[in-house]
Amino acid sequence: MGERAYDRAVRLAGVALAAAVFLFLIAPLVVLVVSSFSPTGSMAFPPSGFSLRWYAEVLGSPDWQVSFRLSGLLVLLVVPTTVVIGTLAAYGLAQGSFPGRRLLTGLALSPLMVPEIIIALGLLYYFHGVGLINSLPGLWLAHSLVALPFVVRAVMVSAAQLDPVLERAATSLGAGRFRVFRTVTLPLLRPGILAGAILAGVTSLGEVAVTALVAGANTTTVPLRVFSAVQYQLDPSMAAVSTLLMAASVVVMVVADRFARISEAL
Amino acid sequence: MEPDLRLNEPDEPDERAAGHVEIEGLAAGYEGARVLDLDRLSIRKGEFLSILGPSGCGKTTLLNSIAGFVRPAAGRIVIDGEDVTGRPPYRRGLGMVFQNYALFPHMTVAANVAYGLRVRRLGKAEQAERVGEALRLVGLEGYAERRPKQLSGGQQQRVALARALAIRPAVLLLDEPLSNLDAKLRREMRVELRAIQRRVGTTMVFVTHDQEEALALSDRIAVLNGGRIEQLGTPDEVYRRPATRFVAQFIGAANVLEGTATGTGGLDLGGLVVNALPGLPEGERAVVAIRPERVRLTAPGTAAGPETGAGVAGTVGYRSFAGDAWHAEVRLADGRTLSVRIADTGAGASDPPGAGTPVVASWDPADVIVLERGGASRPATEAR
């Protein structure tokens, strides 16, 4: 009997610990979302009522509209760029056998190992020289650079599980190399590609360190505007912006997950 | 009567005549190590040829060379009179079935079977017809819309077979296709595979390390060892008249004895004389093999008559019951062992004595296989 009580206590303690960790992770997001509906200008938590005035303010502001458009455009540019380059790189690195493969793998993932501020400084000097500071192509390149290793990493996980015998089977049925890649390899890499695309999108959407150095007055992305805004006025409009960004990420992930699971489960 | 499910239609005489493979002087290897060295192998139209050998004997390399996945260092592969040695695998028109099934997990069964037909740009109607035909052939008509994951191992391998046959290959290559199945299913699939082969008449080249499988399925068996063909023959030829020591031991685990003939029907193994051999002239060196199931065990003294031969004395090392038979090991005076297989009679009458009991092992001289005789040299691949 004593042993059973002990087992129960241990299990309860485990559940409590897990709940505490989960709460710790989600608390900042909950506070943010709740504050965004505050009717007053104070950030006091919990808020005293419910209103959508901060959403109206943010969405009505021309400055914010420009930033939203810029950030959205960057995601649309960065995701396809990094997905194409990252998928091909990951497939080659995971399945190929050539000298220097390990070195190249390390190189492809190196932006993950280097502090972002160092990459930012490098890009700052370089873009200054070629005149890409404060321009859309500059941000496109910078964000792609930061997001690419995430895609490579995610696709490599799928590519490492890819059974080369499947490609052989397709070849034996008469399919040439390109056809095999298109009809067998790519569909099997899809989970990794989707995960990589989401990571790339979220990275681009939230990037601050590199963006801060290579952007300028005409190219203020949403996170940059949040960053500068909170330094002057701390009101719930920032919470509203963050909630919108979060909602966008959640929608993308739910759709992608549904898409991936539909293709796999059927 | 079973309906005729032949994939080859009468209006396609070219494909009907397909399937003649000639391999000449084929050598292949990786980084200096030669894993394959074949003088000549000719595969007949419509036959079921097994390539049998232990792991590392080059059998998979041979199959992959025929398929085109391995580029041979030397030699020629001719299929239907056309040299395909330099042709890429997707242009050889061969079917292939793999050990782990290799079904495309993201496609339905029907789409898997149709894959090769889509590559060949067949019309929708013809595709559907051929997919149905192939699935009927393997008994999976109702499974067209399933995913491979929803099928058992045996069903998956049947889909793989249907997929390979749907393209009507000149030759179907099978790479240990039954190895991943459990014992019961493996026996069933063996029968089914043979039946399908008889029905469609496609030439099949079947790679296996399982001698039982090769014996049960094949028209002919090529026994491969160290990249060379040790023997090529029908199942009963390679079992009853093994050409080399390797074949005798690999197929049926024969006891191999090597020594000098005494001239009185004995073989001197170097101190120990074993009796009951077919007449060999005195002083001639010989290597002989005796199948475990041909050896009889009797108590010493109850002397088997001269017509059965005296055999050799020893003690039982161990015995184990295998259901239909007993396996025993007899330890001879010089430490050598003989393996013995005694069919179970059910009443326990034929049970071998327990470990440590002295026995006499004897056999009919007619059952002794002479592998090599004369001289001290031992050519590796000399047919009898």
Side-chain angles (χ1 to χ4, degrees):
Chain A
M1 281 300 125
E3 218 164 278
R4 262 181 70 180
Y6 175 75
D7 281 352
R8 253 187 80 167
V10 167
R11 200 162 50 234
L12 275 177
V15 169
L17 184 67
V21 169
F22 194 65
L23 196 67
F24 175 71
L25 288 175
I26 204 159
L29 303 181
V30 172
V31 169
L32 210 56
V33 172
V34 172
S35 315
S36 73
F37 295 106
S38 170
T40 68
S42 91
M43 284 294 280
F45 185 84
S48 51
F50 176 85
S51 102
L52 291 173
R53 64 179 273 216
W54 300 111
Y55 285 92
E57 189 160 307
V58 165
L59 292 173
S61 144
D63 280 355
W64 279 107
Q65 284 175 7
V66 168
S67 288
F68 274 120
R69 234 174 281 141
L70 176 65
S71 277
L73 182 62
L74 274 173
V75 168
L76 290 183
L77 288 172
V78 168
V79 169
T81 310
T82 53
V83 160
V84 170
I85 298 174
T87 300
L88 294 175
Y91 177 64
L93 290 172
Q95 295 280 320
S97 62
F98 48 87
R101 191 171 67 97
R102 294 178 74 101
L103 187 75
L104 273 179
T105 307
L107 208 62
L109 300 177
S110 63
L112 285 178
M113 328 282 181
V114 179
E116 239 186 299
I117 191 68
I118 293 176
I119 298 170
L121 274 174
L123 281 175
L124 174 64
Y125 286 126
Y126 180 59
F127 281 5
H128 225 63
V130 295
L132 281 173
I133 297 289
N134 192 17
S135 71
L136 182 65
L139 279 181
W140 177 14
L141 286 177
H143 280 197
S144 297
L145 177 77
V146 176
L148 185 62
F150 290 101
V151 181
V152 173
R153 182 97 230 154
V155 180
M156 268 179 89
V157 172
S158 282
Q161 294 166 352
L162 189 74
D163 185 356
V165 173
L166 290 176
E167 294 175 322
R168 280 191 174 196
T171 305
S172 78
L173 291 167
R177 286 194 82 143
F178 179 70
R179 194 183 180 108
V180 171
F181 187 76
R182 191 169 55 78
T183 57
V184 174
T185 314
L186 267 188
L188 294 176
L189 293 181
R190 178 148 57 189
I193 293 173
L194 268 173
I198 289 170
L199 286 173
V202 170
T203 302
S204 167
L205 216 53
E207 219 298 319
V208 172
V210 174
T211 318
L213 295 199
V214 300
N218 304 330
T219 51
T220 310
T221 61
V222 172
L224 268 196
R225 194 169 290 282
V226 170
F227 213 68
S228 61
V230 290
Q231 290 174 352
Y232 301 109
Q233 30 143 181
L234 191 62
D235 65 35
S237 62
M238 295 310 106
V241 171
S242 310
T243 306
L244 286 174
L245 281 185
M246 225 160 23
S249 313
V250 168
V251 166
V252 167
M253 264 183 242
V254 167
V255 168
D257 187 56
R258 176 71 51 85
F259 186 54
R261 219 183 297 152
I262 279 173
S263 69
E264 274 184 359
L266 278 179
Chain B
M1 271 307 288
E2 279 175 329
D4 184 10
L5 289 169
R6 245 164 231 275
L7 285 176
N8 289 335
E9 283 157 15
D11 58 327
E12 282 169 293
D14 296 353
E15 285 194 5
R16 223 173 228 285
H20 195 166
V21 184
E22 289 283 351
I23 295 164
E24 286 161 20
L26 193 72
Y30 311 97
E31 285 149 23
R34 181 150 289 193
V35 292
L36 195 62
D37 197 354
L38 289 189
D39 275 350
R40 208 181 115 78
L41 175 62
S42 172
I43 302 168
R44 294 173 196 150
K45 195 183 345 169
E47 87 171 322
F48 194 113
L49 178 86
S50 286
I51 297 167
L52 174 67
S55 48
C57 72
K59 56 189 192 294
T60 298
T61 306
L62 172 57
L63 199 74
N64 281 329
S65 301
I66 301 174
F69 293 120
V70 168
R71 184 156 292 223
R76 273 180 4 121
I77 298 168
V78 178
I79 300 174
D80 294 328
E82 274 185 79
D83 190 336
V84 299
T85 321
R87 208 182 271 183
Y90 56 88
R91 288 188 45 228
R92 294 199 179 190
L94 307 179
M96 195 150 179
V97 175
F98 301 85
Q99 183 174 351
N100 66 352
Y101 325 133
L103 295 179
F104 307 128
H106 57 294
M107 298 180 193
T108 61
V109 165
N112 264 281
V113 177
Y115 189 88
L117 307 175
R118 274 208 308 275
V119 172
R120 284 164 177 71
R121 300 181 192 287
L122 292 188
K124 273 261 169 346
E126 193 178 356
Q127 275 188 34
E129 192 193 313
R130 283 225 221 164
V131 168
E133 203 171 84
L135 286 178
R136 253 197 317 283
L137 185 68
V138 298
L140 288 177
E141 305 95 312
Y143 293 78
E145 294 312 313
R146 303 259 186 121
R147 294 267 166 173
K149 247 189 275 177
Q150 298 168 296
L151 303 181
S152 69
Q155 290 169 333
Q156 289 189 46
Q157 197 54 292
R158 276 187 254 175
V159 174
L161 191 61
R163 181 178 67 179
L165 284 173
I167 61 170
R168 297 177 185 170
V171 181
L172 182 65
L173 308 171
L174 303 113
D175 188 6
E176 309 222 15
L178 308 182
S179 308
N180 279 9
L181 306 176
D182 63 54
K184 180 171 175 283
L185 198 56
R186 194 155 54 210
R187 277 193 299 275
E188 288 169 12
M189 279 295 286
R190 216 186 269 166
V191 174
E192 203 175 316
L193 186 59
R194 190 63 171 135
I196 288 171
Q197 200 264 342
R198 291 239 165 85
R199 232 181 290 165
V200 298
T202 306
T203 309
M204 293 195 185
V205 180
F206 180 89
V207 159
T208 182
H209 63 266
D210 184 335
Q211 46 133 336
E212 218 183 296
E213 219 166 77
L215 289 171
L217 274 170
S218 319
D219 292 316
R220 287 195 303 162
I221 299 176
V223 185
L224 218 62
N225 183 35
R228 294 167 176 279
I229 292 182
E230 295 262 337
Q231 189 173 6
L232 175 63
T234 61
D236 63 284
E237 271 168 17
V238 295
Y239 191 85
R240 292 188 191 144
R241 298 198 300 280
T244 66
R245 181 195 297 238
F246 174 82
V247 175
Q249 283 176 322
F250 190 73
I251 302 178
N255 297 296
V256 172
L257 303 171
E258 182 176 0
T260 313
T262 60
T264 54
L267 189 70
D268 186 345
L269 308 179
L272 183 75
V273 176
V274 176
N275 292 312
L277 290 168
L280 290 169
E282 185 174 357
E284 187 172 37
R285 289 197 63 79
V287 179
V288 302
I290 301 132
R291 295 279 177 206
E293 67 269 25
R294 297 290 164 215
V295 180
R296 285 185 300 272
L297 296 183
T298 46
T302 58
E307 78 281 356
T308 55
V312 63
T315 54
V316 175
Y318 80 83
R319 58 171 199 172
S320 69
F321 185 56
D324 58 341
W326 284 88
H327 292 288
E329 192 179 81
V330 175
R331 203 173 295 280
L332 306 186
D334 63 351
R336 220 180 280 265
T337 58
L338 284 180
S339 52
V340 181
R341 184 179 184 279
I342 300 160
D344 187 53
T345 51
S350 68
D351 292 6
T357 317
V359 288
V360 171
S362 58
W363 47 82
D364 188 331
D367 287 334
V368 173
I369 303 157
V370 180
L371 294 171
E372 295 154 30
R373 53 187 292 187
S377 66
R378 296 197 298 269
T381 54
E382 184 191 303
R384 243 165 55 109

